[in-house]
Amino acid sequence: MICVKFSDDMGKNEEGVDLGGPRREFLRLLMDTIARSAMFEGKENCKNLALDSTALRGDWYYISGRAIAVSLVHGGPPPNFLSPTVFSLLVGNSANPALEDIADLELFEKVKKISQSTTLEDLEKSKEPLLDYLANAGCLRPMRSLRDRDLLVHDIVMFQVIHRVQGPFQRFCEGLKTLGVLEKMRRHPDSFRPLFCYEPHMLTADQVDDLFNIHLSPEGSNRRAAEEMVVTFWRDYLQDAEEEEGPSKLQKILAFATGATAVPPIGFSPAPSIEFIHRGDDDFSSTPIFPLANTCVNCIRLPLHVSYQLFKEKFDFALGNTSGFGRV
C-alpha cells in the first residue's frame, strides 16, 4: 500500500499517518492531471492518445498507464475519460474510429471536405492540401472512382487516431500491466469498460446518504434525541444540495468526508461514517458549530445544532473554506 504525505507552500509535511484520505486525494489529482495532459486529445470525456515528443522522451505514456493501474487497485478513481476506440484496442479488440475522432481541427476540416466530395474533380481538389500528409500516412494514391473516397477517409482516420500513436500505445499498455491490471481488463472487458469510458452517472442525495453508516448513542439517552434531529438535518441538507447545485455539490460533500469525489471502483475502506460532536468531547469546552472531517477514516462529525438553517449555514461555510491539500 502506498503512503502519501502532502506539504504546505513552505514544504512542511502534514502530520499524521495516511490511512486512506491523502492517498485518495492524491490519486484523484493524479487522474485529473493525466486526463488534461498533452498525452491525450479529443473531447473531455472521450479522449484518444496524442503524439507528444516530450511525453515520449520522458516515457510518460508508460508512467500514466502505471499510475492508472495503481489508482484502480489502491482505491483511487477510475480513468473514465478514454474513448471506446482506445479501450477496444487495450483489451485486444479491433477498432473503427470515426471522422469525429480526429482532434486536430484543421485536419478534421480538410478530411471532412474530402468525405463530402461528390465528383472526382472535387475529390482531387480536396486532396491537394493534404498531399504531404497522405504521403507520410501511406495513403497517397490515384482516385479512380467515388468509392475510393470512403476508403481514403477511412485510411486517414485509422492513421491519425491509431497507427500514428502505436509507440505511445505500446508504452501505455506496458504501464497498465502493473499489478496485473491489463491482464484482468482483457479477461473481463465488460466489467472494466465503465471504468475507462465515460458513462453518465449522476451522484444523488440518496446514494450519498446510503454510503454513510450513522453511529448513534444508545436508544433512550438524551444524546440520542439530539443526534436523531441532526440526522434529519443531514438528509435535508443532501436533498437541498442536489436540488440547488446537483451532483457537483454532492461531490464536494463526499470529498469533504473521504478525499474522493466519486466512489472508488473497489469501494471505500473503511466505510464512510457519521459521528456527532457533543459538548465536552475532544476537549471542546463549548458546543462546536462547524462539521469536522477525517478523510483517513472517511468520517464526518456533525455538531448538534437545533435549527436546520444554522446547520446548513455552517456546513456550507465548512465546504467553502476547506483548505484542501497542498503539494505531495
Side-chain angles (χ1 to χ4, degrees):
M1 185 65 72
I2 62 174
C3 178
V4 174
K5 277 187 177 290
F6 282 86
S7 65
D8 58 22
D9 291 338
M10 302 301 293
K12 183 179 179 181
N13 287 342
E14 64 176 5
E15 296 182 2
V17 178
D18 177 14
L19 298 177
R23 181 176 68 251
R24 283 188 295 273
E25 178 71 5
F26 166 66
L27 293 173
R28 181 181 67 80
L29 295 171
L30 183 59
M31 291 302 102
D32 288 346
T33 301
I34 290 173
R36 295 194 307 268
S37 73
M39 292 180 288
F40 298 91
E41 63 184 10
K43 299 176 183 177
E44 182 179 358
N45 295 318
C46 189
K47 294 195 173 188
N48 293 301
L49 283 167
L51 184 60
D52 184 80
S53 60
T54 302
L56 278 173
R57 189 165 56 250
D59 207 14
W60 293 354
Y61 294 98
Y62 170 79
I63 294 171
S64 66
R66 188 176 178 87
I68 288 170
V70 169
S71 182
L72 288 171
V73 174
H74 286 266
N80 56 350
F81 60 85
L82 295 178
S83 71
T85 295
V86 173
F87 182 78
S88 292
L89 295 172
L90 287 173
V91 296
N93 296 334
S94 59
N96 188 25
L99 176 59
E100 290 72 21
D101 284 320
I102 296 179
D104 185 322
L105 294 180
E106 183 178 354
L107 177 62
F108 170 79
E109 291 299 331
K110 291 177 180 178
V111 178
K112 184 179 179 181
K113 192 172 181 180
I114 292 176
S115 71
Q116 294 173 340
S117 300
T118 56
T119 66
L120 277 176
E121 183 179 0
D122 288 343
L123 182 55
E124 290 297 337
K125 286 182 179 178
S126 60
K127 274 177 51 184
E128 287 181 5
L130 286 173
L131 290 180
D132 290 340
Y133 179 92
L134 295 177
N136 290 330
C139 302
L140 186 59
R141 54 182 179 266
M143 299 288 103
R144 295 187 173 87
S145 72
L146 284 178
R147 286 180 296 181
D148 294 331
R149 175 197 62 194
D150 297 335
L151 183 59
L152 176 62
V153 171
H154 176 266
D155 288 347
I156 294 172
V157 173
M158 288 292 290
F159 173 77
Q160 181 68 18
V161 178
I162 298 178
H163 303 317
R164 186 177 61 99
V165 293
Q166 274 304 297
F169 177 76
Q170 293 302 324
R171 294 305 295 158
F172 188 57
C173 286
E174 286 298 314
L176 280 171
K177 290 180 181 179
T178 301
L179 302 174
V181 169
L182 185 61
E183 177 190 352
K184 293 294 189 293
M185 288 172 59
R186 291 174 174 173
R187 191 176 299 175
H188 308 283
D190 291 339
S191 297
F192 278 88
R193 186 173 289 107
L195 305 181
F196 281 77
C197 300
Y198 176 76
E199 293 183 0
H201 178 71
M202 300 300 181
L203 196 62
T204 67
D206 288 341
Q207 288 171 344
V208 175
D209 186 28
D210 289 342
L211 284 172
F212 287 83
N213 296 323
I214 300 175
H215 298 162
L216 295 166
S217 297
E219 196 167 352
S221 65
N222 292 334
R223 286 190 169 203
R224 176 69 171 251
E227 292 167 356
E228 287 178 341
M229 179 183 292
V230 172
V231 169
T232 65
F233 294 165
W234 160 254
R235 289 172 175 156
D236 288 345
Y237 183 72
L238 294 179
Q239 293 293 334
D240 285 351
E242 181 176 3
E243 292 172 6
E244 293 169 3
E245 298 184 36
S248 63
K249 187 168 183 178
L250 293 172
Q251 289 174 342
K252 292 177 184 177
I253 295 170
L254 187 61
F256 179 75
T258 68
T261 56
V263 181
I266 65 170
F268 287 110
S269 179
S273 63
I274 290 177
E275 297 179 355
F276 303 90
I277 310 172
H278 292 269
R279 184 171 183 173
D281 289 351
D282 297 336
D283 298 325
F284 286 114
S285 58
S286 59
T287 303
I289 60 175
F290 298 108
L292 304 174
N294 185 339
T295 59
C296 287
V297 292
N298 304 323
C299 180
I300 289 181
R301 303 186 67 203
L302 299 177
L304 299 176
H305 292 300
V306 295
S307 78
Y308 173 66
Q309 190 57 41
L310 188 59
F311 177 94
K312 184 176 186 297
E313 177 187 329
K314 300 308 179 184
F315 210 122
D316 283 344
F317 184 88
L319 284 183
N321 290 275
T322 302
S323 59
F325 295 86
R327 296 176 298 179
V328 68

